[in-house]
Amino acid sequence: MPKMKTRRSAAKRFKVTGSGKFKRAKAYKSHNLEHKSSKRKRALRAPGLVSPSDYERVRKMLPYA
C-alpha cells in the first residue's frame, strides 16, 4: 500500500504535544493590534489546543503525527 500524504497546510499549523493532543495558534493576532489591550495580546501569544470535536479531523490530516 502506498504511503499516505500529509496535508501540508495542516502540518504547518498544528504540532503534537507529548500527550498526543494538537497545539494550535490562537486567532485574532494578525492586525488591528493597537486597539487590543496588552493583556489580550499576551494571552493570544500562548498556544491553544484543538477542541475535542475537531480532534479527529486534524488527526486524519496528519497521518504520521
Side-chain angles (χ1 to χ4, degrees):
M1 192 170 174
K3 290 191 280 186
M4 294 172 69
K5 286 197 170 184
T6 295
R7 295 223 183 181
R8 299 311 297 161
S9 58
K12 292 167 187 176
R13 287 176 171 86
F14 302 107
K15 296 281 178 259
V16 186
T17 64
S19 60
K21 295 176 184 171
F22 289 105
K23 215 164 46 161
R24 61 166 179 84
K26 290 186 182 167
Y28 306 109
K29 181 99 187 359
S30 58
H31 58 79
N32 294 345
L33 297 175
E34 60 195 14
H35 297 294
K36 296 177 178 120
S37 69
S38 300
K39 180 179 179 180
R40 185 172 166 195
K41 288 186 281 192
R42 250 192 330 275
L44 290 172
R45 247 185 260 151
L49 290 175
V50 169
S51 70
S53 57
D54 292 322
Y55 177 85
E56 195 57 32
R57 287 197 299 175
V58 175
R59 195 189 63 74
K60 283 180 180 173
M61 288 192 275
L62 302 171
Y64 298 105

